Amino acid sequence: MSIDDETFFSENLTSINKMVSKILLLIIPLPLFLIAFSHLGIFSISDVFSFRILVMAIIFYLIFQLLIKSNIRPKLTMAVGLLEINLFIALVGTNSKVGVYITFGLVPIISCLYYNRRLTNTIGIFSYIFMEVSLYFKYRNSAAVFDNSTEMTFLGSYIPVAAGFTIEFFFVFLTANLMAKRGFMTLKHLLSLIDDRNGLIENLREKQSKLHNTQEKIIEFVTQSLKSHDLLTGFHVEHTQTYVRMIALKLRSLGYYANELTDETINLYADAAFLHDIGKIHTPEGILNKPGKFTDEEFAIMKRHPKDGADLIRTLPTIGNGKFNDTAYEIALYHHEKWDGTGYPSGKAGTDIPLCARIMAAADVIDALISLRTYKKPMSIDKAMSIFEESRGTQFEPCIVDAVIACKDEIRRKDAEFKARESNEFNREVSDKHQYNELLKIQILEKVTNECESHDFKKYLDENLKKLKSEYDEKYGKSKEF
């Protein structure tokens, strides 16, 4: 915004015009008070005079309202409103019983609010003219302020009083002029500061946008890398981001961790959830995609991925203020810890486990239960909810179990969406993995057969090799080369 910004001055003009409208409305009851107080003996003002200024006040207000509603020329409305107040004060001031001298300084002061020095000077001149004319009529009405005992009445009575008021009004005019000038300069300075601040904010937003884009690219790279390495992890990290956000929002709505789970924090948890299984990139592909149950040795290798993931995240450049890095680190390292301390890799328990990791653990498990795995079929939502209920206070914090169960219908809808969208891609990847594994078996068996020195055992291996090749050909067609 600059000092020439039409929007600001247009809005300010409209706002001050409304204030002037209220002043014109408030002066309407004044003649009624004069009538009432005169009948009570407090004032001695004729009802005719009071009625005249009442009619005038109503006419001024209606004219001003008409100009505001027409909205044809707001600047004309501004000038008319100030002149109407001036004229009303002058009319009241003509009465010999009413003293409104100081009030003539009101209108120039009001004009300063428009931040228009030329307007203030113009209104000041009109205020002075109206004051002098009003004083002249007051003089004609033999007001007590004038000394009417001298023979040179006009020169001896009116001129000295008019001169005195001129001096007083000069100081009012000078003050209003300085206020208008100072107000304009102050406004200019403030708007300049706003421009600088807006520039800084825009620059900050641009930097944040670039950082966010960098973050998204890192996440996308990790997701795609995991997809190529692990048949299921690519889908899994996308699912768990949704479930982390869902569970965190539900926790807050249930009254748990309301201070901690701000919108910003929930978004941070959901973004960082993408990296919770980044450590699996170090896990052998044969273990990740094994169709059966892990051996103890294989499970021990699998259990390394939280620590491996945390170590990888420590190598990331700082994103933003570093909160993303810290959150992603905690989620990766602790998402397999359990509420009762029986998890891995550190055996942390209770609130020693970061809240982000406790929520991540629930999202991780719910997706693992209801999604297809190479070693199992997906579990029903109802069965998964019963498992969570059984794990209350052991694997999961009780309030997190409450949040997951409260999200049951929402989880059911999202799971159906995921399955409908991913089924074709998943089936294709499963087929490719199976074909690759069977081809790998044939190649290994062929190598072992060729190197076997025992004639009888080599014959046995050769028969099995022919059987595997035949089965492969039936499934995938004749291969040119094994």
Side-chain angles (χ1 to χ4, degrees):
M1 182 186 293
S2 69
I3 196 66
D4 297 320
D5 194 312
E6 288 297 327
T7 301
F8 170 80
F9 285 101
S10 176
E11 291 178 353
N12 181 68
L13 190 150
T14 301
S15 176
I16 304 304
N17 278 349
K18 288 180 179 179
M19 185 190 77
V20 171
S21 177
K22 290 179 181 178
I23 292 174
L24 288 170
L25 178 63
L26 289 173
I27 64 178
I28 292 175
L30 178 61
L32 300 177
F33 284 116
L34 292 177
I35 293 172
F37 290 154
S38 294
H39 283 279
L40 291 173
I42 300 174
F43 295 143
S44 179
I45 299 173
S46 71
D47 291 348
V48 174
F49 176 79
S50 297
F51 182 73
R52 285 175 181 171
I53 62 172
L54 172 63
V55 172
M56 247 347 183
I58 294 173
I59 292 173
F60 287 165
Y61 177 74
L62 292 177
I63 291 173
F64 193 71
Q65 285 300 111
L66 183 62
L67 289 172
I68 287 181
K69 290 182 179 180
S70 66
N71 199 30
I72 298 174
R73 297 185 64 184
K75 291 185 178 180
L76 174 64
T77 305
M78 165 186 71
V80 169
L82 294 175
L83 290 175
E84 285 181 342
I85 296 174
N86 250 336
L87 188 53
F88 180 81
I89 295 171
L91 289 171
V92 173
T94 59
N95 191 288
S96 61
K97 307 288 183 162
V98 180
V100 290
Y101 317 113
I102 196 172
T103 316
F104 284 104
L106 170 68
V107 184
I109 300 300
I110 294 175
S111 69
C112 294
L113 299 176
Y114 286 103
Y115 298 109
N116 188 323
R117 191 180 178 191
R118 181 181 296 178
L119 171 71
T120 299
N121 291 337
T122 302
I123 291 298
I125 293 171
F126 273 100
S127 294
Y128 174 73
I129 293 171
F130 286 170
M131 180 188 72
E132 291 295 346
V133 172
S134 180
L135 278 174
Y136 177 75
F137 280 99
K138 190 184 289 289
Y139 156 74
R140 293 292 299 271
N141 292 329
S142 302
V145 70
F146 297 98
D147 182 5
N148 294 305
S149 62
T150 176
E151 293 181 3
M152 299 179 65
T153 307
F154 183 78
L155 293 176
S157 298
Y158 174 76
I159 295 300
V161 174
F165 278 113
T166 298
I167 295 172
E168 290 179 2
F169 193 84
F170 172 76
F171 287 104
V172 171
F173 182 82
L174 182 62
T175 301
N177 186 276
L178 292 174
M179 286 177 63
K181 181 179 179 180
R182 181 60 182 170
F184 184 82
M185 296 304 296
T186 301
L187 175 66
K188 184 176 181 179
H189 177 65
L190 290 175
L191 292 180
S192 176
L193 291 177
I194 290 172
D195 279 341
D196 292 342
R197 186 202 65 178
N198 289 343
L200 290 172
I201 291 174
E202 188 61 32
N203 188 35
L204 179 61
R205 284 176 179 168
E206 185 178 347
K207 288 182 178 179
Q208 287 176 334
S209 178
K210 289 180 179 178
L211 287 170
H212 187 67
N213 289 338
T214 301
Q215 178 180 318
E216 287 183 339
K217 288 177 181 177
I218 291 172
I219 290 171
E220 182 181 358
F221 168 77
V222 169
T223 303
Q224 295 303 320
S225 297
L226 286 172
K227 276 187 176 181
S228 63
H229 184 61
D230 178 7
L231 179 62
L232 294 163
T233 299
F235 293 135
H236 175 65
V237 294
E238 294 176 9
H239 298 177
T240 51
Q241 183 200 30
T242 299
Y243 296 140
V244 163
R245 188 187 304 279
M246 190 185 298
I247 294 168
L249 287 169
K250 185 60 68 174
L251 273 172
R252 187 175 68 181
S253 70
L254 293 175
Y256 300 110
Y257 302 110
N259 293 331
E260 293 90 336
L261 294 175
T262 62
D263 289 342
E264 180 184 1
T265 299
I266 291 173
N267 289 333
L268 185 64
Y269 286 5
D271 288 343
F274 264 120
L275 300 181
H276 79 280
D277 271 342
I278 181 62
K280 286 185 178 180
I281 207 164
H282 284 169
T283 306
E285 189 173 338
I287 294 177
L288 287 176
N289 297 310
K290 183 177 180 180
K293 186 178 180 181
F294 292 142
T295 64
D296 291 343
E297 292 79 10
E298 290 169 338
F299 187 54
I301 293 172
M302 177 62 80
K303 288 168 67 175
R304 295 175 191 166
H305 80 269
K307 180 65 168 59
D308 289 342
D311 291 342
L312 282 172
I313 289 169
R314 280 298 187 216
T315 67
L316 282 176
T318 300
I319 297 174
N321 56 11
K323 286 184 179 180
F324 175 83
N325 300 67
D326 294 339
T327 304
Y329 176 87
E330 291 179 340
I331 283 178
L333 184 59
Y334 299 122
H335 73 279
H336 279 293
E337 302 289 356
K338 297 182 180 180
W339 183 251
D340 62 2
T342 60
Y344 64 88
S346 304
K348 285 183 174 291
T351 55
D352 286 341
I353 307 168
L355 178 60
C356 58
R358 304 201 303 268
I359 294 173
M360 182 71 244
D364 192 34
V365 171
I366 190 64
D367 185 62
L369 292 175
I370 63 178
S371 298
L372 180 66
R373 292 291 181 264
T374 54
Y375 54 86
K376 74 170 189 68
K377 293 181 179 180
M379 184 181 293
S380 71
I381 301 291
D382 292 334
K383 177 63 176 174
M385 293 298 116
S386 67
I387 289 176
F388 264 85
E389 189 60 64
E390 292 168 5
S391 302
R392 180 188 296 273
T394 54
Q395 184 169 354
F396 303 111
E397 183 178 6
C399 66
I400 290 181
V401 172
D402 291 338
V404 171
I405 293 174
C407 290
K408 177 181 175 181
D409 292 337
E410 196 174 352
I411 291 172
R412 191 192 305 276
R413 286 192 297 272
K414 291 304 299 182
D415 180 56
E417 290 178 16
F418 289 142
K419 285 182 170 64
R421 188 182 71 208
E422 298 162 0
S423 58
N424 291 336
E425 184 180 352
F426 177 78
N427 291 335
R428 179 182 59 78
E429 290 195 15
V430 168
S431 177
D432 290 346
K433 291 286 183 181
H434 285 170
Q435 183 177 359
Y436 170 76
N437 288 336
E438 291 185 29
L439 184 59
L440 188 62
K441 286 180 185 178
I442 291 172
Q443 290 172 341
I444 292 172
L445 186 57
E446 192 173 47
K447 188 174 187 306
V448 172
T449 302
N450 291 336
E451 294 176 358
C452 182
E453 296 179 355
S454 171
H455 176 73
D456 292 338
F457 189 57
K458 185 173 184 178
K459 183 180 178 181
Y460 169 77
L461 292 175
D462 194 50
E463 289 175 356
N464 280 279
L465 180 60
K466 289 179 180 178
K467 182 180 179 182
L468 284 176
K469 286 183 177 182
S470 175
E471 291 175 352
Y472 183 91
D473 289 343
E474 288 179 6
K475 286 184 180 179
Y476 306 111
K478 181 68 176 177
S479 174
K480 294 180 180 179
E481 183 180 350
F482 286 101

